[in-house]
Amino acid sequence: MRAGMIDDSSSGSWGENLFSQRFPFEEGIEPECDRPQVSVIIPFHNGYSLTRKCLSTLLPALSSVSAEILLVDNGSEDETAAWLKSLPTAIRILRNEENLGFACACNQGALASRGRYLLFLNNDTEVSPEWIAPLLKAIEQPGIGVVGCKLLYPDGTIQHAGVEMIRGVPDHPFRHAPADFPDANRPRDMDMVTGACLLIPRKLFFPLLGFDEAFLNGVEDVDLCLRARMAGYRVFYEPRACALHREGQTPGRFRHARRNLNLFFRRWRDRFDARGVFRVDEPPRLMPASQSRLRASRLRIVWEGSQFAVHSLAKVNRELCRRILEEGHALTVLAPEHENEFPDDAPEWRWLAARQRKEVPQEADLWVSHQWPPRFQAPGAMPWVVIQPWEYGSLPRQWLAPLSDRVAEAWVPTR
């Protein structure tokens, strides 16, 4: 598709400058094919010897996949700082001056990451060379949004094989059972898994706004799992992926346990039945984190134009809006009311339909118009972008004034 020129020789330089701009999404959103397959995010506070051991087992385990490693130092006060300086530059390091907590550090790592999948890993784990492949195979199954692995104590007994409601609290049902216990070695759907080793697609983590930072070093992992369940995704336990977990090695790990559980019960108690099984008895809906630094990175975007039709313009809108949702931004869709043909077999498309509105928002960070015929009516004072492909020669003369006087940016697909 080639960019057209304005049908007015006196304004040639204006058209040339405008339509030679780079397509803004080139820099704003990285193409999927250029992303690593997985970003491994390891938050920690002190315990550099544990982190060093974790890393020594992790590097060979990732040799067969496209991966990046991000270490998030939460204000360590031991020998960590000196040790981090000795690491290869390929390992990315984020440092906080103080301990901001597990949820915050994980979200920081996610914001700095590039992978299609995000794998959150405790620094007191040691993985096997065969650990990563079953996790990635599981997460690529239809409908699965979160995957956890089997975790063993150093004595070889089970620490984690999924999380269930036990006597009214989320807990580990097979704790201290033998590693070969049959029920703990059956891949299956769960309501919750631990954040000590948790794999989630980027396209789900960001719309959920990541871990809820209202929790302080506990329960934020099961809260994330339940929000994924509310969004229509499965949480899966994969025992063929196995790692060692020392558990509770960070000082103060359980200091806020009662507070965290009280918050968890206020949010989720009514969602569990008498048997402790989580109920999803309504259409999937997004439940973002109440407190998260991912929220601060959100844009409020209004997208005007066809979405739920079979023509190419609607497909372009759907794909761009899908990526906007995957990056965690707030989206309002203004699509023609008569359109009702759209794929409904994936949660992200239902999210898109749920964002359709009839009323025009009064405030937004950005308003994008991509429709035919184009409508050159400015949406108030907010920044206004018009996407206008044009492959039929010169642009109509009557478009020149609104494009130059009212539109903040014109986006045109171009080579």
Side-chain angles (χ1 to χ4, degrees):
M1 184 180 297
R2 67 183 179 87
M5 294 300 294
I6 300 297
D7 186 17
D8 190 329
S9 58
S10 64
S11 59
S13 60
W14 178 91
E16 185 176 29
N17 290 337
L18 177 66
F19 292 103
S20 64
Q21 295 179 42
R22 293 185 59 174
F23 193 58
F25 278 82
E26 283 184 356
E27 294 182 354
I29 300 180
E30 186 173 17
E32 286 292 300
C33 60
D34 292 341
R35 293 189 184 277
Q37 186 176 13
V38 62
S39 295
V40 181
I41 299 167
I42 305 176
F44 57 90
H45 171 70
N46 293 333
Y48 91 97
S49 60
L50 293 173
T51 311
R52 182 177 60 185
K53 183 64 175 177
C54 174
L55 200 59
S56 70
T57 64
L58 181 63
L59 290 172
L62 296 177
S63 61
S64 61
V65 299
S66 170
E68 65 173 356
I69 298 173
L70 297 94
L71 303 180
V72 187
D73 178 9
N74 242 342
S76 293
E77 301 162 342
D78 59 1
E79 300 94 329
T80 293
W83 173 69
L84 290 176
K85 293 178 181 178
S86 69
L87 295 180
T89 56
I91 297 175
R92 301 170 63 192
I93 298 169
L94 288 75
R95 297 203 65 189
N96 295 319
E97 293 300 319
E98 57 182 316
N99 188 351
L100 301 180
F102 178 82
C104 182
C106 287
N107 290 339
Q108 283 180 295
L111 284 167
S113 71
R114 299 170 49 241
R116 298 199 302 276
Y117 299 112
L118 307 180
L119 199 160
F120 299 96
L121 189 66
N122 279 16
N123 73 320
D124 57 353
T125 58
E126 298 172 24
V127 304
S128 67
E130 301 80 19
W131 155 83
I132 190 67
L135 289 174
L136 292 174
K137 184 176 181 180
I139 199 68
E140 291 171 355
Q141 294 181 36
I144 292 183
V146 178
V147 177
C149 74
K150 182 169 70 174
L151 296 173
L152 303 178
Y153 286 115
D155 66 3
T157 61
I158 291 174
Q159 185 265 319
H160 170 267
V163 177
E164 297 177 353
M165 290 295 282
I166 301 175
R167 294 185 291 275
V169 297
D171 204 350
H172 302 279
F174 300 103
R175 191 190 295 273
H176 297 301
D180 59 355
F181 189 73
D183 283 352
N185 285 278
R186 178 170 52 90
R188 64 193 186 281
D189 284 1
M190 303 289 296
D191 284 329
M192 302 163 283
V193 294
T194 182
C197 176
L198 186 150
L199 182 65
I200 184 171
R202 183 185 197 87
K203 69 177 184 180
L204 177 58
F205 186 80
F206 277 81
L208 294 177
L209 299 184
F211 290 100
D212 196 331
E213 295 168 24
F215 295 96
L216 298 175
N217 299 326
V219 195
E220 59 274 280
D221 47 2
V222 296
D223 173 80
L224 178 66
C225 290
L226 297 182
R227 286 187 283 118
R229 297 273 284 115
M230 289 295 294
Y233 284 87
R234 297 161 56 195
V235 174
F236 194 75
Y237 165 64
E238 177 49 85
R240 287 167 290 200
C242 186
L244 180 148
H245 184 208
R246 299 182 186 277
E247 191 183 31
Q249 297 298 302
T250 300
R253 163 69 176 83
F254 301 106
R255 186 176 301 153
H256 305 282
R258 183 180 296 275
R259 175 193 175 279
N260 291 330
L261 285 174
N262 286 337
L263 176 58
F264 175 83
F265 292 142
R266 288 198 301 270
R267 182 173 297 177
W268 297 112
R269 187 192 301 273
D270 294 340
R271 281 277 164 194
F272 288 89
D273 65 18
R275 297 173 299 142
V277 177
F278 189 71
R279 296 183 292 103
V280 182
D281 51 8
E282 58 186 55
R285 59 190 178 97
L286 274 176
M287 290 191 62
S290 64
Q291 296 180 29
S292 170
R293 61 188 48 234
L294 275 67
R295 188 181 295 276
S297 67
R298 273 180 137 194
L299 292 174
R300 298 169 300 169
I301 300 173
V302 178
W303 200 281
E304 181 183 25
S306 292
Q307 295 274 356
F308 312 118
V310 296
H311 50 69
S312 59
L313 188 150
K315 181 176 181 180
V316 169
N317 282 341
R318 284 197 302 268
E319 288 298 311
L320 290 174
C321 287
R322 178 176 64 85
R323 291 297 300 278
I324 285 170
L325 283 176
E326 289 175 1
E327 295 296 323
H329 299 296
L331 179 70
T332 298
V333 169
L334 299 179
E337 294 184 22
H338 64 272
E339 295 181 352
N340 57 12
E341 302 176 30
F342 62 95
D344 60 357
D345 57 348
E348 54 262 36
W349 295 115
R350 294 196 289 271
W351 300 347
L352 190 59
R355 277 150 182 75
Q356 187 170 10
R357 299 288 184 270
K358 295 181 181 180
E359 68 277 8
V360 177
Q362 297 301 308
E363 293 184 2
D365 298 306
L366 180 66
W367 184 297
V368 180
S369 298
H370 183 208
Q371 57 189 336
W372 184 259
R375 186 178 71 90
F376 293 111
Q377 182 175 350
M382 67 191 76
W384 181 31
V385 170
V386 170
I387 300 180
Q388 193 53 65
W390 188 252
E391 56 265 59
Y392 302 113
S394 59
L395 290 177
R397 187 185 299 271
Q398 61 268 30
W399 291 5
L400 177 58
L403 280 172
S404 58
D405 298 338
R406 303 176 197 168
V407 175
E409 290 185 11
W411 296 351
V412 179
T414 175
R415 294 183 181 180

